[in-house]
Amino acid sequence: DTGVSQDPRHKITKRGQNVTFRCDPISEHNRLYWYRQTLGQGPEFLTYFQNEAQLEKSRLLSDRFSAERPKGSFSTLEIQRTEQGDSAMYLCASSLGAQPQHFGDGTRLSIL
Amino acid sequence: AQTVTQSQPEMSVQEAETVTLSCTYDTSESNYYLFWYKQPPSRQMILVIRQEAYKQQNATENRFSVNFQKAAKSFSLKISDSQLGDTAMYFCAFMKLLTGGSEKLVFGKGTKLTVNP
């Protein structure tokens, strides 16, 4: 069990640029979740997958956000035309069945 | 929609003492899980303890225990014999339970706990 891995750990970009984050879940976990956490707040749900199927998307996820999980393994979260308000920690978690979710270290996005 | 409220933004405790963190939630669901997660500074979120709503017995994990009051929708965390390593943000979280597996977590805003030597 190598844990949930996220890459990069920190991304700094200029407003208007596109960014992509990657999450590698624990290998046998079939569910994968993305959350966003701003300073001083609890994580907020963005979207989740069961295998390769995206089962739910939050209303927080604007059209500029897209997530994929090809082949039900790793997942990517892309943000197009980044805005100042996108600055946050993006957390990935994975789980198997009804077991608790395991979180990665997160990717911190800073928009200049 | 479910909501989770943590009314204590910050708390502090002396090493070896006991502290209780509060959490209330609102839901119309009957089957759900409640969690406490710990997030140390600049480190990943770690599960502390889990409670299934259908279980009347309060969950315990070593120095950590909960007081689950289903009718009152209250779910407090008690940390006994506090250690310096317990210093962290603590998040209370709710998860609806469906037959297909785990669902999204709904988090409170967190309580920042500082354990003083």
Side-chain angles (χ1 to χ4, degrees):
Chain A
D1 179 355
T2 57
V4 178
S5 176
Q6 291 188 246
D7 184 69
R9 291 292 304 275
H10 197 176
K11 178 71 176 178
I12 303 172
T13 192
K14 293 182 179 179
R15 184 167 52 91
Q17 297 295 304
N18 298 344
V19 293
T20 300
F21 310 140
R22 177 179 170 125
C23 172
D24 287 90
I26 293 172
S27 58
E28 66 269 24
H29 285 186
N30 59 341
R31 293 207 168 189
L32 186 148
Y33 303 78
W34 287 99
Y35 295 86
R36 180 170 67 188
Q37 185 178 21
T38 53
L39 201 60
Q41 301 294 317
E44 294 175 297
F45 168 77
L46 293 178
T47 188
Y48 86 95
F49 295 83
Q50 176 163 294
N51 300 315
E52 66 275 10
Q54 189 171 18
L55 295 188
E56 186 176 350
K57 290 172 60 172
S58 164
R59 280 170 285 184
L60 291 175
L61 218 61
S62 75
D63 291 345
R64 297 183 298 105
F65 287 71
S66 63
E68 294 182 341
R69 192 183 181 197
K71 302 178 183 178
S73 56
F74 70 92
S75 175
T76 58
L77 178 67
E78 181 183 16
I79 309 174
Q80 296 181 327
R81 304 181 304 281
T82 51
E83 300 174 356
Q84 287 287 345
D86 296 332
S87 294
M89 176 75 84
Y90 290 83
L91 297 171
C92 178
S94 69
S95 69
L96 177 64
Q99 295 303 309
Q101 295 174 29
H102 294 255
F103 284 81
D105 288 335
T107 292
R108 181 168 297 283
L109 175 63
S110 301
I111 308 295
L112 301 178
Chain B
Q2 292 77 32
T3 58
V4 176
T5 303
Q6 294 180 248
S7 58
Q8 306 150 315
E10 292 192 40
M11 294 192 72
S12 63
V13 64
Q14 292 299 122
E15 197 174 5
E17 297 293 306
T18 295
V19 63
T20 299
L21 309 183
S22 301
C23 173
T24 58
Y25 61 96
D26 190 25
T27 185
S28 57
E29 301 289 336
S30 55
N31 295 319
Y32 53 88
Y33 285 163
L34 294 163
F35 303 86
W36 280 97
Y37 277 89
K38 166 185 176 180
Q39 189 177 41
S42 301
R43 294 180 62 187
Q44 68 180 201
M45 192 90 69
I46 301 166
L47 176 68
V48 174
I49 198 164
R50 175 176 74 166
Q51 174 78 44
E52 294 90 337
Y54 64 86
K55 288 187 177 179
Q56 292 187 332
Q57 186 172 7
N58 289 323
T60 62
E61 285 288 342
N62 301 314
R63 297 182 296 108
F64 299 89
S65 62
V66 298
N67 183 3
F68 174 47
Q69 301 290 326
K70 190 172 184 178
K73 295 180 181 174
S74 170
F75 183 62
S76 61
L77 174 70
K78 185 171 84 171
I79 306 174
S80 304
D81 186 26
S82 296
Q83 300 176 0
L84 296 178
D86 295 334
T87 292
M89 284 291 291
Y90 285 81
F91 293 99
C92 179
F94 172 99
M95 185 185 81
K96 187 169 58 174
L97 180 61
L98 298 179
T99 55
S102 69
E103 295 290 319
K104 65 186 177 188
L105 291 165
V106 177
F107 287 89
K109 290 188 174 182
T111 295
K112 182 180 180 181
L113 176 67
T114 302
V115 180
N116 298 308

